[in-house]
Amino acid sequence: MSTAVSEWAAADSYTAALRSGRGPLFLRREDGWLLPLEVERWCARPDAVDLDVLDRCEGTVLDVGCGPGRLVAELAARGRAALGIDVSEAAVGHAVRLGGQALRRSVFEPLPGEGRWGTVLLMDGNVGIGGDPRILLDRVAGLLRPGGLLIAETAPVDVDERAHVRVVDAPGTRAAGAPFPWARVGTPALLRHARGWERGGRWSAGGRSFVALRSRSASSRAEPPKSTAVISSQRARKPSGDSPVASR
C-alpha cells in the first residue's frame, strides 16, 4: 500500500468518526484550509441522489473508496454484483456488516476483475484519490470493460487543485502522520483531464455534481439499465487469499 493511502488508512480520527457515525471531520491543507467531510451522510442509508446514481450503473459495479459501504450494501440488497474497496479497515468492516462485499485495498493495487467491470464509481470526492486525476482516470480505464461506465462525483464548483492534506477532527487538532496528496476537481476540469474517454453525461442534484464517462467509444448514454438483475456468473471473483475484513 502506497504511503499516500496508508496515511489516510491510519488516521485515527477517520476510524473514530466511522465507528460513531458522525463528525466533525476535515481534510486540512498545509496552509490551514479545511474541507469538511460528510461523515453523517456517508454512514446513513443512500439518499435520493445516491439512488439515482445507482440506477445509472451498468453490469458489475466497483465502488472505489467505498467508505462505510452504503452504496455497495444497497446494490447487494438489489441483487446487483458489486464490490467496494477502501484503504481503511474500519470502513471495510462497516461495509461488510451492512451486507456489502468489500476489500481493504487501494485502487492502485491489483484488484479482482480488472478489465471486466461494467461500472466504476468515484463518489464522495474520491476523484481526488492520489492527487492526480489523470493518473486515476488511466487506472480506472484499465479496470473497466470496453465501453465501461465511470460515474464520478465532482466538486460543485469549478476548481482544479492539488494539495497535500491531513485528516483532522477539529480545526485546531494536530494530525498524526505525514500529509498525503489529494485533488479537488470540478466538472470542467475533470472533462479536460478525461483524454481518451467519451462523455456520457453530466448532471447536478441535491447540491452535488456528477460526470459519466465511457472508457472507449460507445454510442449509448448513461441511462438507468432495463433490469437490475445480475446472474451469478457475472459476479466478480476474488483471487485466492483475498477476503473482506471480517465483522467485529
Side-chain angles (χ1 to χ4, degrees), residues 57-63 72 75 80-84 117-121:
C57 292
E58 302 171 354
T60 56
V61 182
L62 179 67
D63 185 5
V72 290
L75 287 167
R80 299 291 301 274
L83 176 69
W117 292 97
T119 302
V120 169
L121 297 176

Side-chain angles (χ1 to χ4, degrees), residues 51-61 75 78 80 118-119 145 149 151 214 220-230 234:
L51 295 176
D52 175 66
V53 169
L54 298 185
D55 287 343
R56 297 170 185 261
C57 292
E58 302 171 354
T60 56
V61 182
L75 287 167
R78 296 182 179 193
R80 299 291 301 274
T119 302
R145 69 189 182 195
L149 178 66
I151 299 179
R214 291 197 179 274
S220 60
R221 297 173 58 191
E223 296 176 348
K226 294 181 180 178
S227 173
T228 58
V230 177
Q234 292 177 294

Side-chain angles (χ1 to χ4, degrees), residues 69-224:
R70 73 188 190 282
L71 303 180
V72 290
E74 173 64 24
L75 287 167
R78 296 182 179 193
R80 299 291 301 274
L83 176 69
I85 59 169
D86 203 286
V87 297
S88 165
E89 181 178 2
V92 170
H94 195 287
V96 171
R97 287 191 291 274
L98 286 182
Q101 293 190 48
L103 292 174
R104 188 183 182 193
R105 196 73 59 83
S106 163
V107 67
F108 298 111
E109 295 177 319
L111 294 172
E114 296 202 12
R116 301 194 300 275
W117 292 97
T119 302
V120 169
L121 297 176
L122 288 171
M123 297 283 281
D124 304 326
N126 287 325
V127 71
I129 289 173
D132 190 322
R134 289 184 180 175
I135 290 176
L136 181 59
L137 287 172
D138 286 346
R139 173 58 176 147
V140 169
L143 296 172
L144 287 165
R145 69 189 182 195
L149 178 66
L150 166 63
I151 299 179
E153 182 171 355
T154 56
V157 294
D158 187 3
V159 62
D160 187 6
E161 72 173 18
R162 317 286 183 273
H164 281 76
V165 298
R166 290 181 169 93
V167 180
V168 299
D169 56 15
T173 301
R174 176 178 294 180
F180 56 90
W182 197 255
R184 290 181 68 232
V185 185
T187 293
L190 184 62
L191 293 175
R192 289 195 300 271
H193 292 309
R195 297 174 181 173
W197 292 79
E198 183 173 342
R199 300 182 184 187
R202 53 190 288 185
W203 67 97
S204 297
R208 298 162 63 187
S209 300
F210 301 89
V211 172
L213 299 168
R214 291 197 179 274
S215 58
R216 297 180 186 176
S217 294
S219 58
S220 60
R221 297 173 58 191
E223 296 176 348

